[in-house]
């Protein structure tokens, strides 16, 4: 348990190091603290904080910097989210105020907005789709034996894929298949549709198509894309601004992690309603040992829950970042609810 003075000193060390990147000494702290304390007393308190593993000495300076444990204590007990700056709110609302035609466009734009606001790398995940239902399927002739398959879910997601049709397949056959799909599968959840595709649907399609496998593969691909989790990343290059690794292989590992959906999904995890902060080696992937990750969910009622996150240096201004993430998730939820209300009308 820290004393009030020790908490005051730890807060000052974190904030000073965040602002300057320079190890903090007792003389500098003496000028910053709101109470008058001698440098000798501050040195004694810093020694106590160091003994508890909350600050540490660097090789190049007599000053101290926060440890991962020190940041953890600061985030858990001392930090308070800053109120959002008026111009930040203007940027969020104007950027989300555009005319979007798909949920994915909103989520993708959100990653860019969040990255621009924080100067870090941002991730956004659309609301989970396990309860989404198939609301329609169409095949649109494009000419020259090309057809576009269009799948629509009740959450407003639209997926499409273009494919070539064998010359032996007629328009009437394709229309019969579309009627079959809509009669048998519309209203089912996407996982239920997948099960039906592996059960009786292929035999029924075979009544209309001599070789149904090609169509089933196309329909399965479009369905998989509609059902899969989709992360959007904004500000990939921002990682270069604060990565402590100049080693090319380390940077490659970092970017490889970001580009792999399964890997980044494991890092982001599944936070609950509160905003979550992971610091340094608290994350299981060694490529992130010098980074901090702030994640937050946003709720769009019956349409599910999505996620936003920012990845930045361990030496990030947590108060400001927590304020931005907290406000942004609320504005994003409002935008999506407006979209769903428009779509449902």
């Amino acid at each position: 348990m820290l004393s009030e003075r020790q908490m005051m000193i730890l807060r000052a060390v974190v904030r000073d190091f965040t602002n300057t990147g320079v190890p903090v000494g007792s003389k500098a702290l003496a000028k910053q603290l709101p109470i008058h304390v001698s440098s000798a007393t501050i040195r004694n308190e810093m020694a106590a904080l160091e003994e508890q593993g909350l600050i540490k000495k660097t090789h190049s300076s007599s000053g101290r910097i926060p440890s991962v444990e020190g940041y953890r204590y600061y985030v858990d007990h001392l930090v308070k989210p800053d109120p959002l700056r008026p111009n930040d709110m203007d940027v969020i609302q104007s950027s989300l105020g555009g005319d979007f035609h798909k949920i994915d466009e909103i989520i993708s734009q959100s990653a860019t907005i969040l990255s621009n606001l924080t100067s870090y790398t941002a991730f956004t995940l659309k609301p989970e789709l396990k309860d989404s239902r198939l609301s329609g399927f169409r095949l649109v002739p494009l000419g020259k034996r090309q057809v576009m398959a269009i799948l629509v879910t009740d959450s407003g997601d639209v997926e499409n894929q273009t494919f070539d049709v064998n010359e032996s397949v007629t328009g009437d056959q394709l229309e019969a298949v579309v009627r079959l799909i809509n009669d048998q599968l519309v209203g089912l959840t996407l996982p239920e549709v997948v099960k039906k595709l592996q059960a009786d649907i292929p035999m029924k399609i075979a009544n209309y198509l001599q070789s149904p496998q090609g169509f089933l593969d196309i329909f399965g691909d479009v369905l998989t894309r509609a059902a899969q989790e989709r992360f959007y990343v904004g500000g990939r290059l921002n990682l270069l601004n604060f990565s402590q690794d100049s080693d090319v292989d380390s940077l490659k590992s970092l970017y490889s992690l970001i580009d792999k959906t399964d890997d980044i999904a494991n890092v982001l995890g599944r936070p609950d309603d509160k905003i979550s902060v992971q610091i340094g080696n608290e994350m299981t992937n060694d490529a992130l040992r010098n980074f901090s990750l702030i994640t937050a969910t946003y709720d769009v009622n019956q349409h599910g829950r999505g996620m936003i996150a920012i990845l930045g240096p361990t030496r990030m201004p947590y108060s400001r970042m927590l304020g931005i993430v907290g406000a942004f998730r609320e504005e994003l939820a409002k935008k999506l609810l407006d979209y769903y209300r428009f779509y449902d009308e």
Side-chain angles (χ1 to χ4, degrees):
M1 187 69 180
L2 299 186
S3 67
E4 286 293 325
R5 188 160 62 192
Q6 287 171 343
M7 286 191 281
M8 194 180 301
I9 289 173
L10 178 60
R11 184 187 292 112
V13 169
V14 171
R15 289 183 174 177
D16 192 273
F17 184 63
T18 297
N19 291 333
T20 66
V22 176
V24 186
S26 56
K27 289 183 179 179
L29 284 176
K31 298 175 182 177
Q32 296 180 39
L33 295 179
I35 58 174
H36 176 70
V37 185
S38 68
S39 294
T41 300
I42 292 175
R43 281 195 296 273
N44 290 335
E45 296 287 29
M46 291 178 75
L49 291 172
E50 188 172 1
E51 190 173 328
Q52 294 183 62
L54 300 177
I55 60 175
K56 60 184 181 180
K57 189 176 186 299
T58 64
H59 296 297
S60 58
S61 170
S62 60
R64 302 294 186 273
I65 65 173
S67 63
V68 169
E69 293 76 12
Y71 281 121
R72 178 81 271 161
Y73 189 96
Y74 174 76
V75 167
D76 288 346
H77 302 287
L78 304 178
V79 76
K80 291 182 180 179
D82 285 346
L84 201 65
R85 298 170 184 172
N87 61 313
D88 289 338
M89 182 59 78
D90 291 342
V91 168
I92 294 172
Q93 292 180 340
S94 62
S95 300
L96 289 176
D99 187 17
F100 299 97
H101 302 289
K102 293 175 64 177
I103 289 289
D104 288 63
E105 292 177 1
I106 301 174
I107 305 303
S108 175
Q109 175 72 354
S110 296
T112 301
I113 301 167
L114 194 53
S115 171
N116 290 340
L117 282 171
T118 61
S119 299
Y120 297 148
T121 300
F123 304 89
T124 52
L125 173 65
K126 62 198 285 188
E128 54 199 358
L129 294 167
K130 64 176 184 291
D131 295 326
S132 287
R133 296 178 182 273
L134 180 66
S135 63
F137 178 72
R138 293 177 61 197
L139 292 176
V140 179
L142 301 177
K144 296 183 178 179
R145 309 300 300 176
Q146 279 200 325
V147 175
M148 178 180 289
I150 303 173
L151 182 149
V152 183
T153 71
D154 64 344
S155 59
D157 288 297
V158 179
E159 291 292 342
N160 61 75
Q161 184 167 325
T162 301
F163 63 101
D164 295 321
V165 177
N166 190 287
E167 290 184 1
S168 63
V169 177
T170 67
D172 289 342
Q173 287 175 306
L174 291 178
E175 287 178 13
V177 171
V178 170
R179 282 196 301 272
L180 172 68
I181 294 292
N182 286 316
D183 290 344
Q184 299 284 319
L185 302 180
V186 164
L188 299 179
T189 65
L190 299 187
E192 289 171 340
V193 173
V194 171
K195 287 183 180 178
K196 294 280 280 184
L197 282 180
Q198 297 166 348
D200 57 331
I201 292 297
M203 292 180 61
K204 293 180 178 180
I205 291 178
N207 292 327
Y208 304 102
L209 298 179
Q210 188 173 3
S211 302
Q213 194 55 51
F215 170 80
L216 288 168
D217 289 342
I218 294 295
F219 184 71
D221 287 345
V222 178
L223 182 65
T224 299
R225 287 210 309 274
Q228 73 184 359
E229 288 188 329
R230 194 164 308 156
F231 287 95
Y232 292 92
V233 184
R236 278 181 171 84
L237 293 179
N238 289 344
L239 288 172
L240 298 176
N241 295 334
F242 47 80
S243 174
Q244 296 182 22
D245 277 314
S246 55
D247 178 56
V248 173
D249 289 336
S250 296
L251 290 173
K252 282 183 178 178
S253 297
L254 189 58
Y255 278 99
S256 175
L257 170 68
I258 288 174
D259 289 332
K260 290 180 180 176
T261 298
D262 289 344
D263 290 348
I264 198 63
N266 289 334
V267 171
L268 295 178
R270 285 287 177 193
D272 51 26
D273 288 336
K274 68 180 182 180
I275 297 174
S276 172
V277 181
Q278 297 179 71
I279 303 169
N281 57 20
E282 294 176 355
M283 291 178 278
T284 54
N285 196 296
D286 189 57
L288 300 175
R289 65 189 180 279
N290 295 318
F291 296 87
S292 285
L293 180 74
I294 299 179
T295 56
T297 54
Y298 61 88
D299 201 321
V300 281
N301 297 339
Q302 74 271 23
H303 299 288
R305 181 183 291 175
M307 186 192 306
I308 62 173
I310 56 171
L311 180 68
T314 303
R315 185 177 66 85
M316 68 164 62
Y318 290 95
S319 294
R320 173 157 166 73
M321 295 302 113
L322 289 168
I324 289 175
V325 169
F328 190 85
R329 71 168 177 167
E330 292 179 6
E331 292 302 313
L332 178 57
K334 289 178 188 175
K335 175 64 181 181
L336 290 173
L337 285 170
D338 286 345
Y339 176 92
Y340 284 123
R341 273 194 290 268
F342 177 80
Y343 183 82
D344 291 338
E345 287 177 355

